[in-house]
Amino acid sequence: LIGARDLVYIRPNVDNSLQPGTKYTVYRTLKPIEDNKTKELIGIQHYLTGVVVITKKEPGFVLATVVKSFRSIAVNDLLMPYKKRLPRITLTQSKNGLNGKIIGSEEHEKNIGDHTVAFIDKGDQDGVEIGQSYSIYYQEEEKLSDKSNGKVPLTPIIHGSLLVLHTEPTTSTVLITQSDRSIDPGTNICSPIE
């Protein structure tokens, strides 16, 4: 188990760009995420494990110190350039008319609840920005009478909310800020409903 203040040995890529004093985010990629219904590829999760700073360059490898550990760092984890994120998020106006769904949680739990980091299927291209809040809801359908052929969607029931922490072009990382019931992957989200 590799954690904070541990010394690690890193095998650089061919370009040898790892320079002493430079910070990197440590991550691993998880199996591709597919839509539950369509089986269409949504993307590949970058599971962040920590931050290292390069301390010494040797022939064929570099030494680094783990300065922050989010979870256990493993052999063969990868590096990406470190990007400082602000510790405070400014709340911003949410996009009107947005509808989407929760893809899943960072830790891949089946039941998602309060204070869980999760992912949604909307991002920059959809007008989603850091600091926006969205409602989590479910909507049942019922036949209005025995004679009707189809079901009619009933009024949406809001049972939670989320805050956008980070955006990518087609997905976003969110924090579930409140939930009145368990949330599953595929649960609907929308612009805030009062």
Side-chain angles (χ1 to χ4, degrees):
L1 300 175
I2 302 169
R5 296 188 299 277
D6 283 346
L7 183 66
V8 292
Y9 298 86
I10 299 171
R11 183 179 57 244
N13 288 338
V14 179
D15 66 1
N16 256 347
S17 63
L18 303 176
Q19 298 299 319
T22 309
K23 277 187 180 179
Y24 288 90
T25 298
V26 184
Y27 73 100
R28 68 183 70 114
T29 56
L30 303 181
K31 68 179 186 172
I33 300 170
E34 296 178 344
D35 184 279
N36 289 341
K37 292 181 183 175
T38 66
K39 301 301 178 196
E40 188 175 315
L41 177 69
I42 294 172
I44 296 173
Q45 180 184 345
H46 288 81
Y47 189 68
L48 307 182
T49 57
V51 178
V52 298
V53 63
I54 307 301
T55 55
K56 188 174 183 186
K57 198 170 188 174
E58 297 285 352
F61 67 92
V62 295
L63 292 169
T65 301
V66 177
V67 293
K68 197 176 282 186
S69 177
F70 309 128
R71 51 193 51 93
S72 181
I73 295 172
V75 172
N76 294 323
D77 278 358
L78 304 168
L79 300 183
M80 70 171 86
Y82 174 77
K83 182 178 177 183
K84 185 174 182 175
R85 297 182 192 215
L86 297 175
R88 296 180 191 268
I89 293 178
T90 303
L91 300 180
T92 60
Q93 181 68 36
S94 302
K95 179 167 173 57
N96 288 328
L98 184 104
N99 285 291
K101 64 183 175 183
I102 293 176
I103 298 168
S105 74
E106 182 179 44
E107 300 292 336
H108 296 263
E109 298 104 341
K110 295 291 182 195
N111 296 316
I112 304 166
D114 288 357
H115 313 295
T116 301
V117 174
F119 307 104
I120 61 172
D121 68 345
K122 300 296 176 189
D124 293 335
Q125 294 174 358
D126 305 293
V128 175
E129 297 176 5
I130 294 170
Q132 292 176 338
S133 180
Y134 291 96
S135 295
I136 302 168
Y137 74 97
Y138 68 93
Q139 186 172 27
E140 295 180 352
E141 295 182 345
E142 289 291 331
K143 286 177 100 175
L144 293 182
S145 71
D146 292 335
K147 296 178 183 178
S148 64
N149 291 333
K151 292 185 175 183
V152 175
L154 302 177
T155 303
I157 305 296
I158 302 302
H159 65 93
S161 59
L162 59 83
L163 176 70
V164 178
L165 303 175
H166 175 76
T167 61
E168 295 289 335
T170 60
T171 59
S172 296
T173 304
V174 301
L175 176 68
I176 306 298
T177 54
Q178 182 267 322
S179 62
D180 295 334
R181 61 186 276 184
S182 181
I183 299 165
D184 302 315
T187 298
N188 295 317
I189 65 160
C190 65
S191 297
I193 298 176
E194 300 298 323

